[in-house]
Amino acid sequence: MGSRASSLLREEDIEEIKKETGFSHSQITRLYSRFHSLDKGENGALSREDFQRIPELAINPLGDRIINAFFPEGEDQVNFRGFMRTLAHFRPVEDNEKNKDPSAGEPLNSRNNKLLFAFRLYDLDRDDKISRDELLQVLRMMVGVNISDEQLGSIADRTIQEADTNGDMCISFSEFIKVLEKVDVEQKMSIRFLH
Amino acid sequence: MGLFVSPFNNLLCMLLGISFTVWFTLLLVFIIVPAVFGVSFGIRRLYMKSLLKVFEWATLRIERGAKEKNHHLYKPNANGIIAKEPTSLEEELKEIRRSGSSRDLNEFAMSDIFYFCRRGVESIVDDEVTKRFTAEELESWNLLTRSNYNVQHISTRLTVLWGLGVVIRYCFLLPLRLTLAITGVTLLVVFTTIIGFLPNGRMKNFLSEKVHLMCYRICVRALTAIITYHHSENKPKNGGICVANHTSPIDVIILASDGCYAMVGQIHGGLMGVIQRSMVKACPHIWFERSEVKDRHLVAKRLSDHVEDKSKLPILIFPEGTCINNTSVMMFKKGSFEIASTIYPVAIKYDPRFGDAFWNSSKFGMVNYLLHMMSSWAIVCSVWYLPPMNRQEGEDAVQFANRVKAAIARQGGLVDLLWDGGLKRSKVKETFKEEQQKLYSRILVGTHEDRSRS
C-alpha cells in the first residue's frame, strides 16, 4: 500500500530534491506515495510496464514518447530522483523564483527547458534535430490510420519549410524555439500542483 | 510428581470449564439469540461511538508530536495532488494556435503536442483508474498499523494505546468473531440441508427465509458490522434483479441479512462449494459450472427464466464484475440489463475509519482478507435502497446500465467512472487510443468541404 511509503523517504533526500526541482516538502512526499503505488515490483524504480499500466496514458497517442522521456539514454529503470527531475519540467513558472539564485543555473521548469522537453518528444534518435522522417513518425502516432501518407507527407514538408531557416531540411532546437516564440509555453506545459 | 501435579490439573480443568461456560452463555445471550430474532441491544453502536472518540484523541496526539519535533506531517490531500484543467482537445488546440500565429486553425502546428504531453504527464501524476484498486487513504489514523503513514510521530502513550488495541483485537475480538463465524456457517449448512428434505411449498419457503436471515445475521455479528439501511420501502421484490456496487465479498452478507435473495455465481470447490450446494437445496440459487460461465447466452437464459417465475426470490448481481475500493463506481457490464425485468439499484458505502472492507485480490488471498476483516475494529456501512428502474423506450442496455450506475454513484457519494473494472488485471483496449487519434485527425484535416475550398 502506498501509504507507508512516505516513511521510507529520508529527510536529506527530500531536501536535495527540493533544491534540485523546487517542489515543496508536502508535494514531494505525496509524489513519492504516487511513485510507490506505481511501482508494482516494489524495487524502488519504475519500468516502462509500470507506466503503461495507467489506462489514461495507454490511450494517449503520444503515450510511448512521454514514457520514453522519463528514461535516460539506454536505461529502462527510473528511480525517484529521475522521476521528480522529469516532473519538475511541468512545475509552473513563478516570477519570484527568477531572482532567487542566479548561480544555481537554469531551473528545470524554465521556458527553455519546457521547450526542450517538447523538442525531445519529436527528436526520436536524440541527435538534436528533427528530420522529416522523425516528424512523419510522430505525426503518424498522433493521427493513427485516419490520414493518408501523401497528406501527412505534405503536412510534414510544409512544417519543415516554414521552420527551417538554415536550409538543412531539419529543424534544430533554435529553429524550434523561433517557431514557438509567440506560444504561451509556460501555461500550456505546466501542471498545477496543489500544496 | 504425579500426586503434586494432579490437584493443579483438576483446578486448571475446572477453571477452563467454568470460563468456557461463561463465555458461551454470554455469546448466546448477547449475540446469537438477538441474531435469531433480529433484534439489537445497541452494543455495537456504543462501541462505534467510543472508538471515534479514541481516534480523535490519537490524531491530536500525532499532530502535537509532529509540531514539537518541527516535522512535516504526511496528509493525504483529499483534493488530489494536482488540479486538472477540464478543457477538451479541440478547445485547447484552437487556443494554442490562436496565440501562436494568425494562421488557419485547421493546420498542424508543432505546438499541438503540448496538449497530449501535458495530459500524459497529468495522468502519470494522478489518474482516475489505478487508484481505485488499492485501499483508500485515511485522513486520520485509526490505530491500525496497516493504515499509518506517520510512524515516527507516535508518542509512548499512543504506542501503549495501540498495543492495547492489538491485544483487544487479536486476543478478544478475533476469537469471538471466529466462533460466531463458524457457528453461523455451520448452522446455515445444517439447517438448509434439513429444509432440503421438505416438499416444495409455502412452508419450505418460509423456513428457508428464516434460516437464511438468521445465519446471515450471525455472520454480520461475526464481523461486527454496523449497518444502517435507508429507504427500506424500496427493497427488491420477487421477479426483479438487485444490482449493487461491489467492494468485497462481504457485500453479499450485508445485503442478505436484511432480505432474501437468489445468489448468482460460479460453483467453487472446498468449503465455499459445500455452502453453495447446501444453500441451493433450500431455495433456488443460480450457480454455474466454470465451463458454463463463458456462455453468455446460457447465463442470460437462466437469469431470465428465474425472473419470469414470480415465486422466486430477486436475483442479486454485482455488474462491475470485480471489487473496487468504494471511492467510485466503474463500468456496469450490460448482461444483467438486457434481461427484461425491473432493476432495484442498491448503493453500499463503507466508512473506512473502522476497518477497510475493500478486497485487494491481487495482494491478499481470501483467508488473509477475512483475517484482516475480523481483526479490524468494525465494519461500518450504509445501504441505500433506491427506487426501482426500468429500461425506457429507445434506450439500449448500455445506456440503461449507465443510468443505473449514475443513480447509485450519486446516492453513495461515489465517483461515476466509465472505465472498466477489468482494467485491474487487463490492458486497456486499443480502440480507445484510436478514438483519440480520430478526434485529432478530424481537427487537423477539418471537414471535407473545408479541404476542397483551400
Side-chain angles (χ1 to χ4, degrees), chain B residues 410-447:
Chain B
R410 203 173 21 240
Q411 180 65 77
L414 307 163
V415 177
D416 186 0
L417 294 176
L418 290 171
W419 295 97
D420 185 356
L423 289 171
K424 196 200 258 185
R425 298 221 168 74
S426 59
K427 287 203 176 242
V428 66
K429 287 194 235 158
E430 276 295 306
T431 46
F432 291 108
K433 188 194 263 197
E434 285 158 20
E435 268 172 43
Q436 293 277 304
Q437 289 168 329
K438 206 184 279 188
L439 203 66
Y440 178 62
S441 312
R442 220 176 286 152
I443 296 172
L444 199 55
V445 173
T447 59

Side-chain angles (χ1 to χ4, degrees), chain A residues 1-4 6-7 11 18 25-27 29-31 33-34 38 40 42 51-62 64 66-67 70 83 87 90 115 117-119 121-122 130 135 138-147 151-152 155 158-159 162-163 171 176 179-180 182-185 187-195, chain B residues 71-77 79-85 92 95-96 99-101 103 107-131 134-135 137 145-152 360 363-364 372 419 423-424 427-430 432-434 436-441 444-445 451:
Chain A
M1 297 184 229
S3 46
R4 282 227 233 139
S6 62
S7 53
E11 280 299 317
K18 203 170 176 176
H25 196 286
S26 58
Q27 285 169 342
T29 37
R30 257 189 272 126
L31 285 167
S33 186
R34 172 68 176 172
L38 290 173
K40 287 283 184 292
E42 302 215 348
F51 284 102
Q52 277 154 1
R53 224 175 274 124
I54 303 171
E56 285 165 31
L57 187 62
I59 67 168
N60 189 318
L62 291 177
D64 287 327
I66 297 169
I67 294 174
F70 279 84
F83 183 70
L87 285 182
F90 290 85
L115 282 167
F117 189 90
F119 182 79
L121 286 181
Y122 282 110
I130 305 174
L135 187 57
V138 175
L139 275 168
R140 182 53 75 193
M141 281 185 222
M142 289 200 272
V143 305
V145 300
N146 300 293
I147 296 185
Q151 247 184 323
L152 219 59
I155 293 177
R158 191 177 49 229
T159 313
E162 287 173 1
I171 306 179
F176 187 71
V179 171
L180 297 172
K182 294 213 205 83
V183 176
D184 187 4
V185 179
Q187 208 235 337
K188 295 301 168 197
M189 288 281 277
S190 290
I191 297 177
R192 269 198 295 150
F193 289 93
L194 298 172
H195 288 281
Chain B
H71 274 169
H72 291 256
L73 211 61
Y74 175 75
K75 276 208 167 209
N77 191 339
N79 299 329
I81 312 177
I82 53 178
K84 293 192 189 171
E85 307 289 331
E92 189 141 334
E95 248 184 78
I96 304 182
S99 73
S101 54
R103 55 142 62 119
E107 302 215 342
F108 173 70
M110 296 211 81
S111 52
D112 282 356
I113 59 162
F114 288 170
Y115 175 82
F116 293 110
C117 183
R118 199 186 74 238
R119 278 268 187 263
V121 179
E122 272 177 357
S123 65
I124 291 177
V125 175
D126 186 16
D127 78 298
E128 282 301 318
V129 183
T130 54
K131 64 185 181 191
T134 52
E137 293 195 340
T145 357
R146 54 192 88 140
S147 52
N148 188 13
Y149 333 109
N150 298 303
V151 205
Q152 58 265 50
N360 191 345
K363 220 169 176 174
F364 305 111
H372 267 194
W419 295 97
L423 289 171
K424 196 200 258 185
K427 287 203 176 242
V428 66
K429 287 194 235 158
E430 276 295 306
F432 291 108
K433 188 194 263 197
E434 285 158 20
Q436 293 277 304
Q437 289 168 329
K438 206 184 279 188
L439 203 66
Y440 178 62
S441 312
L444 199 55
V445 173
R451 262 288 124 232

Side-chain angles (χ1 to χ4, degrees), chain B residues 179-426:
Chain B
T179 326
L180 284 172
I182 295 173
T183 318
V185 170
T186 322
L187 285 179
L188 182 67
V189 171
V190 166
F191 281 145
T192 46
T193 318
I194 294 177
I195 293 177
F197 291 121
L198 293 174
N200 286 347
R202 271 191 46 208
M203 196 52 182
K204 185 176 187 182
N205 289 343
F206 177 72
L207 279 176
S208 154
E209 216 182 278
K210 290 298 167 217
V211 161
H212 272 109
L213 278 176
M214 176 185 92
C215 297
Y216 280 120
R217 282 199 205 115
I218 298 180
C219 288
V220 159
R221 280 158 173 78
L223 293 164
T224 317
I226 304 167
I227 313 169
T228 317
Y229 296 98
H230 303 267
H231 304 302
S232 293
E233 67 271 13
N234 291 327
K235 249 196 258 191
K237 301 192 176 53
N238 283 6
I241 299 182
C242 175
V243 301
N245 58 315
H246 201 27
T247 307
S248 97
I250 293 179
D251 292 341
V252 172
I253 301 178
I254 288 180
L255 288 179
S257 61
D258 191 45
C260 285
Y261 300 94
M263 313 279 171
V264 180
Q266 200 186 305
I267 273 241
H268 289 99
L271 180 62
M272 202 62 227
V274 171
I275 300 175
Q276 285 176 317
R277 270 179 264 269
S278 61
M279 274 169 72
V280 82
K281 289 194 188 120
C283 82
H285 295 288
I286 307 175
W287 303 127
F288 290 102
E289 300 289 333
R290 180 159 248 151
S291 49
E292 292 173 328
V293 173
K294 303 278 184 219
D295 188 348
R296 282 189 51 203
H297 290 292
L298 178 67
V299 172
K301 176 112 196 358
R302 277 184 73 177
L303 290 177
S304 7
D305 286 344
H306 186 108
V307 299
E308 268 160 28
D309 186 350
K310 296 298 173 198
S311 70
K312 292 200 177 144
L313 299 165
I315 304 180
L316 179 58
I317 290 186
F318 297 101
E320 281 166 311
T322 185
C323 295
I324 313 291
N325 78 346
N326 208 231
T327 55
S328 68
V329 185
M330 297 186 105
M331 187 182 93
F332 275 6
K333 305 215 188 307
K334 61 180 176 162
S336 14
F337 298 91
E338 282 169 337
I339 303 168
S341 83
T342 321
I343 300 278
Y344 294 89
V346 176
I348 309 176
K349 179 85 178 100
Y350 290 89
D351 187 339
R353 288 176 298 179
F354 297 92
D356 194 350
F358 169 59
W359 182 29
N360 191 345
S361 47
S362 33
K363 220 169 176 174
F364 305 111
M366 177 62 110
V367 177
N368 216 332
Y369 169 69
L370 284 175
L371 222 68
H372 267 194
M373 283 297 98
M374 293 200 195
S375 61
S376 311
W377 295 113
I379 308 288
V380 179
C381 66
S382 293
V383 176
W384 287 273
Y385 292 106
L386 298 168
M389 290 175 152
N390 276 304
R391 181 139 58 115
Q392 282 165 355
E393 284 291 322
E395 205 180 29
D396 71 356
V398 176
Q399 289 164 332
F400 181 37
N402 284 336
R403 193 159 59 91
V404 174
K405 176 160 64 81
I408 293 182
R410 203 173 21 240
Q411 180 65 77
L414 307 163
V415 177
D416 186 0
L417 294 176
L418 290 171
W419 295 97
D420 185 356
L423 289 171
K424 196 200 258 185
R425 298 221 168 74
S426 59

